[in-house]
Each structure stands twice: as C-alpha cells, then as structure tokens.
Amino acid sequence: MEKKKIILNTIRENQPTSRTKLKEITNIRPGTISALVKNLKKENFLLEAGKEKSLRGRKQSLLRINGEKYYALGLEFDAERIIGLLVDLNSTVIASAHQGLETFPTKNNLWEASPDADTLKTEIGEDKGREAIIGKIISTAESLCQEVPSEKILGLGIADPGVVNSKEGVSLFSSLIPNWENIPLGRILSERLKIPVKLIGASKAKVLAEFNSGLEKGIKGILFIEFGPGIACGVISDGVLLRGANEMAGELGHTHISDDGAICGCGSYGCLEAIASMSAIVKKAKKSIKAGSESLIKYSEDGEINADRIFEAASKGDKLCLNILNESARYLGLGVANSINLFNPEMVIFDQRMALLGEFFIEEIKRVIKRQALRFATENLRFVVSSLGEKAGPLGAATIILDEFFKR
Ligand SMILES: [Zn+2]
C-alpha cells in the first residue's frame, strides 16, 4: 500500500511521467512499478498520456492522474463576498461561484437568503450577519456540488479571513467581521453538506496555491502579501507552509507599526491593518472629506465613498486620494520589509488587488523595502504580482483537501 501511494504521489508531482522516470525517482523495482501502475489504471486513477519525445531508443508511454476520478471544493469568505471553486484531482478548475454580501452586517434580504435560518440560529446564536455569511457559504457550496456526482466530492476547504483552529474546525475570530467568534464552521458545514470540511487561514491558503501553481520549480521560500479589507501574509519556508503553534503565523496586519495609530478590529491600536488596509484607506478618505478637504470623489452622484471611487479618483490625479494611497504604501513597505528580515524569502508575491491600485502603489512599497530591509535579504529577492488573483484563496483551500487525499 505504501508503495502504491508513493507511485501515485510521484506521478502527481511529475506528470506526465514514464515508468522509467518513476523507477529513477522512487527506486522501486520495475516489475513492482508495472504491477502497481496496472492496478492504479484499473482503479481509474491513472491515464495514459501519449508517448515521450525522445530521440534515441524506444519511446516510453507517459502516465498522468485521471483528474475526473475525484473532486474537491474550495471556498473563501470575508465580510463582503464568497468565492467558491470546484476543482478536479489535478487542481484544474471545473466550476466557480461567486456571491456578494453587499452592506454587511444586517440587511433583510441577506437574512432571507440564508437556508435553514432557525437551525443556524440555535447553532451560532442570533446574529443576522453571521447567519447571512454561513447561509451563503452553504448555498455557494451546494450550487458547486451539483456540478458532479456527490460521491466523487472529497471535501470542502474553507479559506477563513481570521484565525482558525483547523484541528477542531472552528473559526475563532476575525477582525473584519463584527461578532464573529468561535464559530464551529467545520461541523455546521459538514453536517449540512454531508462532506468532510477543513478550515485554513486565507493568507495560508493563498501562499499554498501560489506555491503549487507551478511558479517555478525550485522556489522554496515565498512571502505572500494579502491586501484587501485586512492585511496578512502567508509564508512558505524551505518548501513548508508556516502555521505557527496556534496557527497564528503570518498575522502581519496586527503587527504594531505606529504609536499613535488608529484603533484596530483586533482590539489593539496602531496595527498595520488599521493604518494601511483598504478599509483604513476608505475611512481616511471619508474623514478628510468630512473635514473639508477637496477631492474629485466629493462630487459623485450618490455621495458614496468607497474603495473603487478612491482608486478611480487617484488614477485621475486626485491629490487627496494619491496622498492617502501613498501613505498606505509606505506603511505596507515597512511591514513587508520587517517580514523580509524575519523570513528571508526568495520571492515576494503581492496580492493582485495591490496592483489594481496603480503601478505607483507597489513601486512605493518596493522603494521602502529597499531602504528598510537588510541589503543581504533583498539582494536576489524577486517581486511578482499574484497571477491567480481571487482564485488563490479557494484554490489553496481545495488544495488542503487534495493534499490530504493523496497523503492517505
Ligand atoms: Zn490589530
């Protein structure tokens, strides 16, 4: 059994691959490999994938994993939206689903959208915001489950915006969602959906997805900077995801960056998240305009000041918005520079949402990093923008389900 698992995992990591290559990598006898491959093909785990391109000798036939054998779900949520993906055994995306939560926390239409609201209420206590989020997680997952036969779904991975206890499947706390504490999300969801459910912090899911997305073979140290309503980082060090004793590793957003900074959702003050996140940017713009500052966003028809309006105004050269964004970039630069000194990554991956703010935003962050981080830590350091974008969270969450399956 052990050898069968080795063969399957070796093919997963090197596919398409030949039997000869399998022998080279695993050192298992050719006769045993042939028998195991035959067995795995019979069980529908493996498919032939054409012939090897070689100039000399007999051309070897290649093997790959049959993606359609099983599937996994991955889902990311925060206070504003839910994004779900259905992937096959090869992490290929089969279907996606997306739901907005609009004006969190309590709107009647959201409440009505929650399935089985009464049972939810007894499980998590009465709070329409919480019920709305869980209800929408359930309905998003259900719609994805309908895409393939239910017995083929291995499980659901959840990318959680806050702190989780992944062993118990409990979402412990989120600084972004009011009253979100100690939610037994794993149990609630697995009972409803009748599939195993695993929780992981969103920034950890994202760095895992980037690591597995075929960035470049050989890269073993990644720092992923998550930027949105909150700020966090995901760390891969020596090829391994850094979790921390209580799964708290990577809470970059709650590192203290200013002595007189704003109050943070975590209860402290001066945290990077409270100063530089997207929500902090919106808060600052609102405050300045209320105090009489001139800005293009002041004159929008509905009077609404949100992130999109701020970025749009900045792209038109609006001074107020540019100043606020530059200040945010400077603080982010300090936070990332500190993280680089701590983790010494080979590559820093920026959340795609940072690039959407305009080239100047990431350039300013990099400028501060070059000035603040140790020279030896940045000499060969590479900076890229995530190409996975909003798929990263759900993809990484689905990956933990797939990884566990292949480990078993
Ligand atoms: Zn904080």
Side-chain angles (χ1 to χ4, degrees):
M1 192 60 205
E2 197 56 31
K3 280 182 181 159
K4 193 170 165 183
K5 197 163 81 181
I6 294 170
I7 293 292
L8 197 60
N9 277 282
T10 310
I11 295 174
R12 185 190 186 207
E13 282 155 29
N14 299 279
Q15 61 181 328
T17 192
S18 66
R19 289 164 179 82
T20 311
K21 196 88 207 229
L22 283 176
K23 188 199 159 281
E24 274 171 35
I25 299 173
T26 63
N27 238 342
I28 297 172
R29 282 179 35 239
T32 314
I33 291 180
S34 288
L36 289 171
V37 164
K38 200 173 162 191
N39 195 281
L40 283 163
K41 273 170 77 177
K42 211 169 136 193
E43 288 174 346
N44 232 349
F45 271 113
L46 294 182
L47 294 173
E48 295 282 348
K51 297 267 181 195
E52 198 177 38
K53 283 191 196 117
S54 79
L55 296 172
R56 294 185 304 122
R58 218 174 60 157
K59 284 180 186 163
Q60 290 256 335
S61 61
L62 296 168
L63 298 161
R64 65 177 174 87
I65 305 280
N66 174 17
E68 291 171 19
K69 174 76 176 169
Y70 288 116
Y71 300 87
L73 292 174
L75 209 142
E76 183 186 5
F77 73 96
D78 59 29
E80 289 162 12
R81 63 198 180 139
I82 287 160
I83 318 161
L85 293 177
L86 174 73
V87 304
D88 72 6
L89 265 192
N90 289 321
S91 297
T92 307
V93 176
I94 303 298
S96 63
H98 197 276
Q99 292 208 60
L101 284 155
E102 291 152 35
T103 41
F104 187 82
T106 49
K107 241 194 169 183
N108 286 334
N109 58 342
L110 288 178
W111 162 246
E112 283 157 19
S114 312
D116 308 325
D118 282 335
T119 359
L120 265 185
K121 217 177 340 187
T122 55
E123 279 172 309
I124 58 169
E126 193 162 356
D127 182 303
K128 288 188 179 183
R130 283 200 300 249
E131 289 160 38
I133 290 181
I134 299 172
K136 290 223 169 187
I137 291 175
I138 293 170
S139 60
T140 307
E142 277 173 345
S143 77
L144 288 169
C145 281
Q146 281 164 11
E147 299 287 330
V148 291
S150 57
E151 69 276 9
K152 286 194 164 207
I153 299 177
L154 297 170
L156 163 66
I158 298 278
D160 186 295
V163 184
V164 303
N165 175 339
S166 64
K167 272 201 194 97
E168 307 287 333
V170 178
S171 185
L172 295 173
F173 168 77
S174 167
S175 59
L176 304 175
I177 310 175
N179 304 322
W180 186 271
E181 263 179 63
N182 283 318
I183 313 276
L185 206 51
R187 185 176 55 73
I188 294 173
L189 297 176
S190 60
E191 277 171 13
R192 293 306 160 93
L193 300 163
K194 313 278 179 239
I195 50 175
V197 176
K198 291 253 161 212
L199 266 59
I200 183 171
S203 57
K204 294 181 183 70
K206 287 173 188 180
V207 78
L208 260 187
E210 297 286 349
F211 184 53
N212 291 331
S213 70
L215 276 176
E216 260 166 70
K217 286 256 171 195
I219 293 205
K220 300 225 176 293
I222 306 174
L223 177 68
F224 179 90
I225 307 299
E226 187 185 31
F227 174 81
I231 293 170
C233 70
V235 182
I236 299 273
S237 187
D238 291 331
V240 178
L241 175 71
L242 194 70
R243 286 182 182 265
N246 299 326
E247 300 184 61
M248 295 278 296
E251 289 294 341
L252 172 63
H254 301 290
T255 52
H256 195 77
I257 208 105
S258 165
D259 256 346
D260 52 0
I263 300 279
C264 180
C266 72
S268 186
Y269 67 94
C271 295
L272 181 62
E273 182 169 298
I275 296 173
S277 66
M278 239 137 81
S279 349
I281 289 170
V282 173
K283 263 188 210 159
K284 276 186 207 169
K286 281 184 177 166
K287 200 173 158 192
S288 299
I289 286 168
K290 213 172 162 189
S293 297
E294 278 306 313
S295 167
L296 290 172
I297 37 173
K298 209 167 170 176
Y299 306 108
S300 61
E301 275 169 34
D302 52 9
E304 175 71 25
I305 297 170
N306 57 29
D308 288 345
R309 291 264 159 81
I310 293 167
F311 312 147
E312 199 193 309
S315 68
K316 288 178 184 155
D318 185 77
K319 271 227 167 75
L320 174 75
C321 294
L322 279 171
N323 283 341
I324 293 173
L325 288 174
N326 265 309
E327 189 185 52
S328 161
R330 272 199 303 283
Y331 279 111
L332 272 163
L334 290 176
V336 179
N338 290 340
S339 309
I340 289 168
N341 284 348
L342 286 174
F343 300 116
N344 186 203
E346 295 164 75
M347 183 182 264
V348 174
I349 304 180
F350 293 113
D351 196 310
Q352 211 176 50
R353 287 178 282 190
M354 294 160 99
L356 297 177
L357 304 187
E359 218 174 296
F360 74 94
F361 194 76
I362 287 181
E363 285 312 311
E364 178 64 14
I365 293 171
K366 286 203 265 190
R367 193 184 64 78
V368 177
I369 290 171
K370 288 265 154 71
R371 197 188 63 204
Q372 265 343 103
L374 290 170
R375 181 165 56 86
F376 296 105
T378 55
E379 244 168 14
N380 299 312
L381 183 62
R382 289 160 60 190
F383 297 96
V384 295
V385 173
S386 164
S387 56
L388 294 173
E390 61 175 15
K391 275 193 211 142
L395 202 55
T399 302
I400 57 168
I401 301 289
L402 294 179
D403 284 351
E404 195 171 275
F405 172 76
F406 280 101
K407 250 193 267 162
R408 227 170 35 217

